[in-house]
Amino acid sequence: MSESTVADTRRLNSKPQDLTDAYGPPSNFLEIDVYDPQTIGVGRNRFTTYEVRMRTNLPIFKLKESCVRRRYSDFEWLKNELERDSKIVVPPLPGKALKRQLPFRGDEGIFEESFIEERRVGLEQFINRIAGHPLAQNERCLHMFLQEESIDRNYIPGKV
Amino acid sequence: FYLFILIIKTYFFFGFGQSAELDIVISDAETRRTAEHKTEDGKKDKYLVFYDGETVSGKVTVTLKTPGKRLEHYGIKLEFVGQIELYYDRGNRHEFVSLVKDLAHAGELSCSQTFDFEFAHVEKPYESYTGQNVKLRYFLRATLGRRLNDITKENEIVVHTLCTYPELNSSLKMEVGIEDCLHIEFEYNKSKYHLKDVIVGKIYFLLVRIKIKHMEIDIIKRETTGSGPSVYHENDTIAKYEIMDGAPVRGESIPIRLFLAGYELAPTMKDINKKFSVRYYLNLVLIDEEERRYFKQQEITLWRKGDIVKRSMSQQATIAAQRFEGSRAANSSAKEDSS
């Protein structure tokens, strides 16, 4: 082998890219919106639900578009299921705000507009981070949360 | 009264200080090349560079602090030592090279004296290394034996181990991925690189279903000390080099061109005297939009190339032209194939 003071930095040969791949739609499209908070019920039995809308072209999700209504405790349920079954480090949820649920507050407590908005943003960040994780995408609980009308808490946990 | 003070002063000056000073001078110190080597506390010092088989010769000078006052000693000797020191076991310094030359038998020195020495064709099997948990060094140590305290002087040298181009140097090529999410094929042009080499490679994306933000290559040094049940690894990221910014799609090929000369690298050391190893890894890291990291580590071997004679400008131009001709011929034949 000849020794040379000029280093060989030529690129390795690679296959030319197919134009349909280069200009086609990306195969990693995943968008989840958490919006339209609605407070349902009266008095002490009120709770807030949020609309969770998902659009994707990942083949692992059965529906390419889905729209469901979920409340904070549903998100908590999802977090617990994933912490137990999957090996991922689950990101934190926005706070439980127990202090806001105590009586004798000057404001609306957990039904205060600014608090709901803060929580909405936190839940949107949470679900987007989870749903994009390849290991979380294997769990049945995530698919049930995002794409089924209601959550069956007696489901059999498992992988998709 | 003043005479008393004078006597006290002279006693302090001669009684408590060293009565002689040793100095070791290596014979070709002017012409020999030097290298900067890190000390244990991170400072950099210049040392003379020696290679395996080279003779180490020079002079040891004994300088008397008070000429005229005789210096009694039990012998003067010079040692050439190659030693491995594990920081967690400093009591046991392991000497793998130990040569002694007696410069003078027990006696008296009435004036400063110089002794010549030569350690012929000394074996220096390993490269000098100062790491996180272990140190391998070579040094000359002159000792003048005395009743209470010996007078010693050490002079450290640095040893480099040289290699030539390896006969077998296959490329590293592999397909890795996560089922149905991300499949890539990576290729590095060689598995053994010299310290001033260039890593040329490419990453080819077969399937991308995650949102990648950027991709980088890290060079990781792993120092392993100990053996059996008490093995200890120390990882250090020497370099981080971004090779792609933005989201790739299927079929895209990202080139890699990483110049090693810009980093502080030393040759791979495998199982040195069964005490420690220093190995290098290339770590390919992909980071997605949620800061999740996907990585693939691959070991490479680093070696030190001996200096070559610089060719003339016309010789270099001829070599470059030949390579250009070769690549042009390859491209035109490829075009014929695809049409």
Side-chain angles (χ1 to χ4, degrees):
Chain A
M1 187 175 192
S2 70
E3 293 184 32
S4 166
T5 51
V6 180
D8 187 355
T9 55
R10 287 175 292 179
R11 287 193 188 189
L12 301 181
N13 291 328
S14 53
K15 308 165 238 205
Q17 190 182 23
D18 196 326
L19 286 180
T20 54
D21 283 339
Y23 294 103
S27 31
N28 59 6
F29 182 71
L30 173 67
E31 259 172 43
I32 305 178
D33 297 310
V34 174
Y35 64 105
D36 189 26
Q38 301 282 357
T39 306
I40 307 175
V42 284
R44 274 194 288 150
N45 298 325
R46 282 180 295 172
F47 61 93
T48 310
T49 61
Y50 307 82
E51 185 151 322
V52 179
R53 182 177 61 186
M54 180 173 109
R55 282 166 300 179
T56 185
N57 67 357
L58 296 179
I60 197 160
F61 291 106
K62 268 214 312 249
L63 301 172
K64 299 305 158 209
E65 268 195 45
S66 68
C67 207
V68 294
R69 279 228 150 242
R70 295 281 178 254
R71 57 185 291 187
Y72 183 86
S73 53
D74 293 333
F75 283 83
E76 272 187 317
W77 169 86
L78 176 65
K79 180 169 196 279
N80 290 330
E81 292 296 297
L82 288 172
E83 274 173 349
R84 189 194 64 222
D85 290 340
S86 79
K87 295 194 210 93
I88 69 178
V89 175
V90 185
L93 273 174
K96 241 180 115 65
L98 289 168
K99 274 207 315 208
R100 281 186 176 261
Q101 292 180 48
L102 293 172
F104 309 120
R105 283 186 68 97
D107 58 14
E108 293 283 303
I110 56 168
F111 303 108
E112 185 74 28
E113 254 186 61
S114 59
F115 170 73
I116 289 182
E117 177 57 24
E118 223 181 86
R119 187 173 260 197
R120 185 198 69 75
V121 167
L123 292 174
E124 194 173 71
Q125 282 174 357
F126 171 83
I127 193 61
N128 272 292
R129 282 175 74 177
I130 294 268
H133 198 303
L135 291 179
Q137 285 165 7
N138 286 338
E139 300 293 327
R140 288 244 302 274
C141 54
L142 179 72
H143 292 262
M144 187 160 71
F145 179 94
L146 287 171
Q147 307 207 307
E148 282 179 41
E149 179 94 28
S150 56
I151 294 177
D152 175 14
R153 304 218 172 189
N154 297 321
Y155 84 118
I156 305 160
K159 310 272 185 244
V160 160
Chain B
F1 180 61
Y2 291 111
L3 196 64
F4 183 65
I5 299 288
L6 207 65
I7 290 167
I8 300 285
K9 273 191 173 159
T10 49
Y11 177 75
F12 272 98
F13 187 74
F14 295 121
F16 285 70
Q18 291 250 309
S19 37
E21 205 176 72
L22 290 173
D23 198 30
I24 308 171
V25 174
I26 291 173
S27 49
D28 49 2
E30 305 292 307
T31 50
R32 188 166 282 277
R33 71 188 321 200
T34 56
E36 276 195 7
H37 199 75
K38 236 181 350 152
T39 57
E40 206 179 311
D41 40 2
K43 279 186 295 187
K44 278 193 155 190
D45 268 329
K46 270 210 168 120
Y47 300 97
L48 293 170
V49 176
F50 279 84
Y51 302 100
D52 189 15
E54 278 193 308
T55 294
V56 183
S57 60
K59 297 183 198 299
V60 175
T61 313
V62 186
T63 313
L64 298 179
K65 285 283 175 67
T66 34
K69 183 166 186 235
R70 285 170 186 279
L71 179 66
E72 274 184 37
H73 65 88
Y74 293 155
I76 306 174
K77 67 176 181 187
L78 181 68
E79 297 169 276
F80 180 85
V81 180
Q83 167 188 100
I84 296 175
E85 186 183 315
L86 292 161
Y87 296 169
Y88 58 76
D89 188 20
R90 288 204 198 252
N92 291 326
R93 289 173 190 193
H94 181 80
E95 292 182 0
F96 55 89
V97 172
S98 182
L99 305 168
V100 185
K101 286 254 189 279
D102 282 319
L103 300 176
H105 297 304
E108 244 177 32
L109 284 179
S110 52
C111 60
S112 304
Q113 212 172 331
T114 300
F115 303 91
D116 289 331
F117 70 88
E118 185 189 86
F119 291 101
H121 308 300
V122 186
E123 204 187 298
K124 304 174 206 75
Y126 312 119
E127 172 141 338
S128 296
Y129 175 74
T130 304
Q132 305 269 54
N133 294 304
V134 61
K135 191 161 63 166
L136 190 156
R137 54 191 273 257
Y138 295 84
F139 56 93
L140 290 157
R141 178 169 52 210
T143 310
L144 188 141
R146 305 253 289 147
R147 186 166 50 92
L148 289 171
N149 298 312
D150 293 344
I151 301 172
T152 60
K153 183 78 201 291
E154 275 185 18
N155 191 336
E156 190 163 321
I157 60 158
V158 153
V159 170
H160 282 173
T161 49
L162 300 178
C163 283
T164 51
Y165 278 97
E167 273 172 32
L168 236 62
N169 201 349
S170 50
S171 66
L172 293 167
K173 188 168 174 173
M174 219 180 275
E175 193 188 306
V176 291
I178 302 168
E179 184 78 24
D180 226 25
C181 256
L182 174 70
H183 284 212
I184 60 165
E185 187 189 80
F186 71 85
E187 186 178 345
Y188 306 127
N189 62 335
K190 301 186 215 179
S191 40
K192 300 173 189 160
Y193 292 94
H194 63 81
L195 301 185
K196 307 274 180 252
D197 215 334
V198 188
I199 298 178
V200 173
K202 73 174 205 293
I203 310 293
Y204 179 74
F205 287 90
L206 293 151
L207 179 70
V208 191
R209 289 220 178 98
I210 54 172
K211 297 189 199 184
I212 296 174
K213 200 165 64 166
H214 70 267
M215 179 163 67
E216 67 184 39
I217 277 212
D218 301 344
I219 301 177
I220 297 179
K221 173 178 115 171
R222 181 177 298 164
E223 181 190 285
T224 305
T225 44
S227 58
S230 59
V231 173
Y232 186 69
H233 299 292
E234 186 90 41
N235 288 337
D236 188 22
T237 304
I238 307 262
K240 278 187 188 222
Y241 188 71
E242 186 178 273
I243 55 174
M244 177 186 84
D245 183 24
V249 292
R250 178 170 51 203
E252 238 177 308
S253 197
I254 304 297
I256 299 167
R257 187 176 296 146
L258 178 51
F259 288 81
L260 295 177
Y263 303 104
E264 269 179 40
L265 297 169
T268 295
M269 299 172 87
K270 283 196 189 156
D271 205 25
I272 299 301
N273 217 243
K274 302 200 199 313
K275 294 254 180 290
F276 72 96
S277 296
V278 183
R279 302 172 106 113
Y280 290 87
Y281 300 84
L282 287 181
N283 201 22
L284 181 71
V285 187
L286 294 100
I287 297 121
D288 75 6
E289 302 236 318
E290 298 294 343
E291 304 294 326
R292 285 180 284 257
R293 300 162 70 86
Y294 308 80
F295 63 90
K296 174 77 187 112
Q297 219 175 70
Q298 194 65 38
E299 183 174 359
I300 53 166
T301 303
L302 294 182
W303 55 278
R304 188 182 288 279
K305 187 159 74 117
D307 275 342
I308 49 164
V309 177
K310 283 212 186 314
R311 293 167 196 256
S312 67
M313 286 301 285
S314 57
Q315 268 183 315
Q316 287 192 34
T318 317
I319 293 167
Q322 281 170 349
R323 283 176 45 229
F324 179 67
E325 287 299 307
S327 65
R328 255 216 331 217
N331 279 341
S332 53
S333 64
K335 279 195 193 133
E336 281 172 12
D337 287 338
S338 61
S339 62

